Amino acid sequence: MAHEQNLVCFNTFGSDESWTLATYEKHDGYKAWRRVLAGELSPEQIIDEVKASGLRGRGGAGFPTGLKWSFMPKDADVQKYLVCNSDESEPGTCHDREVLRYNPHALIEGMAIAAYTMGATVAYNYIRGEFLDEPVPRFEAAVKEAYDAGLLGENIQKSGIDFDLYTFVGAGAYICGEETALLESLEGKQGRPRFKPPFPAGFGLYGKPTTINNTQSLASVPAIIRNGAAWFAGLGPEGSGGTALFSVSGHVEKPGNYELPMGIPFKDLLNDICGGVLGGRKLKAVIPGGSSCKVLPAEIIMDCTMDYNSLQQAGSSFGTGAVMVMDETTCMVRVLRRISRFYMAESCGQCTPCREGTGWLYRMLTRIMEGNGEEADLQKLVEVANKIEGHTICALGDAAAWPVQSFLNHYLHEFEYMIRNGGASIVDSATEAAA
Amino acid sequence: MSYVLTDLVKEEIDHWKTRFPEGRQRSAVLSALHAVQHENHGFVTAEQMNAVAEYLDLPTIQVYEVATFYSMFQTQEVGRNEVAICTNVSCMLRGADDIVEYVENKLGVKLGESTDDGRIFLKKEEECVAACCGAPAMMVNHKYYENLTDEQVDEILDRLD
């Protein structure tokens, strides 16, 4: 079955200089924003449209975008902010970088529409610091183009609408992808998540009402307004409107960022789009939405469709659409140790269960790999993970726990084998046996 | 010894300050540190952090705490060219550990160390840089290089001054 690609966020891809205003306008870019400027669309109409489209936050949590927008206070006399989260750092995820580099105007138009809808006259795009060489200048050049074309600024095209858009550049911290840590960082502080409530819609950037949306979510908005909620919702199955940007990495023949309708069967994504498992080897496991999602063994994921409901029913989640594919040669202990190292390194340190627990997980897994593990460590790993989960201010703690729980759930025998065999991997023994 | 910010850095900080409301100049700390570190070839000193604090009219601790929290800032002297090899899962699955080993052998330093001649700083185990579909990937002075092979690594590293 053929799957149509690049319908929303990547719709300029394939054109020369896909990132320019001229190219974007050839693809109906800024038509939705011009309708707003002409007074054809009220904030209420836009919120209803976005709600009906089924768009859900693509940063990982999947919260309905239109509903999130509706939480902003309606009174006009206080400064409100829109913030875009381009702090893309969930391991496996690299598609927002493509939006910033190759279709930045979709994001700018989406931000303009979102800001107008919520009565925000100022927006920041928080871009991760590592992107400062290429995505940041590319995005900033597009913002300048939009200003020069009279699409942003004060009293835009005499509409009475004001909207200023600024880039902000981070400096390397996964935790800043958590929306309140991002606000702290934007205020020039350490990126430490805030207690909630209050939620950002009440007390956000500089204490003002603020909404934070992910890059892909915002870049999807112009197409929704242009083509209608029904069109967008109809691209995917019930509960998962629109397209998703899949970052497929690991053991596949053609890794890449692919924009596809939600609900594509995993086996089509793997075989038709990505050319199958690398070297024709056998699929072992997939982390379907970035390293914070639970791992799914081949026999489960092969029957899944790539959408919120299907992956949730399978015991994992859609996450960021970052599909990490592992073939039969992959040692699951080694992968989990690397994932645990990540959460240890990225814990901001303010909650004890996360700060201490992530280190425990990593050290225990290291011990097992070095041949010094004990059977009791396996129970302890799960206990520590359970004690982190649900006991921290933000979701990083949960994200550190879920991989441990799911790897041990599905691949316990690999951990046991390593403990009983002085640190040797079951994968290596299989290779030796075959040789 | 006090350090005086250069006009170029001041200009950069002033440019960033205009993006934030009056009295919210603390928001410019990250960009100020980027600017100072860039000019100083890869790391910031206590004197430079003090100068940033003074210029932004902030307590020095507010600059120190940012400089030590974010992984892109180095507060110890390091080599002038920063090489950061991603070792997270997507890159690991495509051979990042071999690239690290190759680079360590080539340069004669371990992750987190700089070469004796001060030419290269091999950053400690780097977390995901969002180039997963081009794994294995590395950043050299913030420029991304993807689908790395040993030959490409040679070519990239040998070019550095």
Side-chain angles (χ1 to χ4, degrees):
Chain A
M1 182 182 152
H3 298 282
E4 208 170 343
Q5 293 193 37
N6 302 343
L7 290 170
V8 178
C9 297
F10 286 179
N11 75 333
T12 58
F13 284 31
S15 303
D16 288 340
E17 301 200 314
S18 65
W19 53 87
T20 62
L21 178 60
T23 305
Y24 186 60
E25 289 192 311
K26 267 185 222 148
H27 290 81
D28 295 330
Y30 290 108
K31 276 196 176 159
W33 180 232
R34 287 181 196 280
R35 283 182 64 201
V36 170
L37 293 173
E40 291 173 27
L41 291 163
S42 71
E44 293 74 23
Q45 281 174 301
I46 295 172
I47 285 193
D48 287 345
E49 200 72 5
V50 174
K51 277 184 182 169
S53 75
L55 176 64
R56 294 168 63 168
R58 299 287 196 248
F63 192 82
T65 305
L67 187 61
K68 194 175 197 181
W69 290 5
S70 72
F71 295 154
M72 284 287 267
K74 305 288 179 287
D75 53 311
D77 53 356
V78 57
Q79 176 66 54
K80 292 175 223 163
Y81 293 104
L82 169 72
V83 175
C84 173
N85 185 346
S86 292
D87 189 47
E88 176 169 63
S89 13
E90 173 71 19
T93 318
C94 53
H95 43 59
D96 294 346
R97 177 168 164 242
E98 304 304 271
V99 173
L100 295 169
R101 290 195 295 172
Y102 301 126
N103 197 10
H105 283 287
L107 176 56
I108 295 168
E109 186 182 9
M111 287 180 76
I113 295 167
Y116 159 77
T117 305
M118 290 179 277
T121 54
V122 176
Y124 294 97
N125 185 16
Y126 186 110
I127 303 179
R128 72 177 288 181
E130 286 83 351
F131 285 176
L132 63 77
D133 181 66
E134 194 187 5
V136 169
R138 186 62 68 69
F139 182 76
E140 295 228 281
V143 170
K144 185 174 184 305
E145 265 190 314
Y147 268 104
D148 290 347
L151 292 161
L152 305 175
E154 227 174 281
N155 190 17
I156 306 162
Q157 300 182 3
K158 300 194 175 67
S159 62
I161 299 169
D162 300 332
F163 178 58
D164 281 310
L165 171 49
Y166 304 105
T167 307
F168 185 92
V169 179
Y174 168 69
I175 191 60
C176 292
E178 197 278 346
E179 61 179 21
T180 59
L182 186 150
L183 295 178
E184 290 286 297
S185 182
L186 194 41
E187 292 182 1
K189 303 170 190 167
Q190 295 190 340
R192 295 190 158 191
R194 298 175 181 172
F195 275 108
K196 293 162 282 276
F199 291 96
F203 189 93
L205 181 63
Y206 308 128
K208 302 289 194 287
T210 303
T211 288
I212 301 104
N213 290 124
N214 162 265
T215 309
Q216 186 186 342
S217 312
L218 287 165
S220 299
V221 169
I224 292 170
I225 303 302
R226 213 161 52 219
N227 301 321
W231 171 81
F232 190 82
L235 294 173
E238 183 77 29
S240 298
T243 58
L245 305 179
F246 293 102
S247 298
V248 187
S249 67
H251 296 144
V252 292
E253 281 292 334
K254 292 188 282 181
N257 285 294
Y258 303 100
E259 179 168 39
L260 291 156
M262 281 271 189
I264 179 176
F266 172 76
K267 61 178 182 340
D268 291 3
L269 179 63
L270 175 66
N271 294 324
D272 302 348
I273 307 288
C274 299
V277 179
L278 191 64
R281 290 196 291 262
K282 204 173 143 219
L283 180 69
K284 181 177 204 169
V286 173
I287 301 175
S291 71
S292 304
C293 294
K294 293 183 174 179
V295 67
L296 294 174
E299 58 274 19
I300 296 179
I301 187 91
M302 283 305 266
D303 290 332
C304 287
T305 53
M306 299 303 286
D307 55 76
Y308 294 103
N309 292 343
S310 173
L311 290 170
Q312 196 173 353
Q313 277 162 17
S316 187
S317 50
F318 187 82
T320 60
V323 183
M324 300 155 101
V325 177
M326 293 171 269
D327 70 21
E328 57 192 333
T329 67
T330 312
C331 171
M332 301 309 271
V333 185
R334 196 168 155 238
V335 172
L336 182 62
R337 175 177 174 267
R338 187 60 192 82
I339 291 174
S340 293
R341 196 265 177 196
F342 172 75
Y343 292 102
M344 177 186 69
E346 300 297 339
S347 172
C348 80
Q350 69 178 330
C351 307
T352 309
C354 175
R355 181 187 65 239
E356 303 300 323
T358 52
W360 274 57
L361 295 172
Y362 176 69
R363 287 191 298 274
M364 278 194 280
L365 289 161
T366 302
R367 191 159 77 200
I368 291 170
M369 280 193 60
E370 287 171 348
N372 301 316
E374 296 165 16
E375 300 269 337
D377 287 344
L378 297 175
Q379 186 55 37
K380 212 175 287 170
L381 276 169
V382 176
E383 276 170 19
V384 172
N386 291 347
K387 280 177 180 150
I388 302 173
E389 186 187 12
H391 299 112
T392 54
I393 290 174
C394 83
L396 189 141
D398 302 334
W402 292 334
V404 174
Q405 295 161 343
S406 63
F407 272 68
L408 284 163
N409 180 27
H410 293 296
Y411 298 99
L412 185 66
H413 60 288
E414 291 202 18
F415 293 80
E416 288 172 341
Y417 182 93
M418 193 175 274
I419 288 169
R420 288 170 195 162
N421 292 277
S425 171
I426 200 168
V427 169
D428 297 334
S429 79
T431 322
E432 278 161 30
Chain B
M1 196 179 76
S2 76
Y3 176 87
V4 182
L5 297 178
T6 64
D7 288 344
L8 206 67
V9 166
K10 284 183 185 168
E11 226 172 81
E12 179 74 8
I13 297 175
D14 291 344
H15 163 72
W16 280 96
K17 268 168 65 181
T18 61
R19 301 183 176 199
F20 312 111
E22 191 68 33
R24 297 292 182 178
Q25 75 276 14
R26 189 176 177 184
S27 284
V29 169
L30 275 73
S31 299
L33 286 170
H34 275 306
V36 171
Q37 177 166 287
H38 181 71
E39 197 175 74
N40 198 42
H41 303 293
F43 67 100
V44 289
T45 64
E47 290 74 24
Q48 288 165 338
M49 289 187 258
N50 293 343
V52 166
E54 192 185 345
Y55 192 70
L56 286 172
D57 194 20
L58 298 170
T60 49
I61 182 67
Q62 292 186 355
V63 179
Y64 301 160
E65 66 177 19
V66 166
T68 51
F69 184 84
Y70 294 91
S71 67
M72 287 178 76
F73 298 130
Q74 306 302 329
T75 52
Q76 305 288 326
E77 183 169 353
V78 292
R80 59 186 176 274
N81 293 294
E82 185 190 85
V83 174
I85 305 165
C86 178
T87 57
N88 208 297
V89 176
S90 299
C91 284
M92 183 184 110
L93 293 171
R94 302 295 292 237
D97 292 350
D98 296 337
I99 298 283
V100 169
E101 195 185 333
Y102 182 78
V103 172
E104 284 184 338
N105 288 335
K106 179 182 170 70
L107 299 177
V109 295
K110 292 283 174 199
L111 288 179
E113 298 173 352
S114 297
T115 55
D116 287 341
D117 59 4
R119 193 170 72 94
I120 292 176
F121 166 45
L122 183 57
K123 213 175 160 191
K124 73 169 168 50
E125 205 165 359
E126 184 75 358
E127 293 302 348
C128 185
V129 299
C132 322
C133 301
M138 70 173 179
M139 292 188 305
V140 176
N141 297 328
H142 308 304
K143 197 169 157 43
Y144 279 58
Y145 296 92
E146 303 179 38
N147 302 304
L148 292 172
T149 60
D150 292 351
E151 293 71 39
Q152 280 168 299
V153 167
D154 282 339
E155 195 192 313
I156 296 158
L157 298 188
D158 293 348
R159 262 204 323 257
L160 298 172
D161 315 320

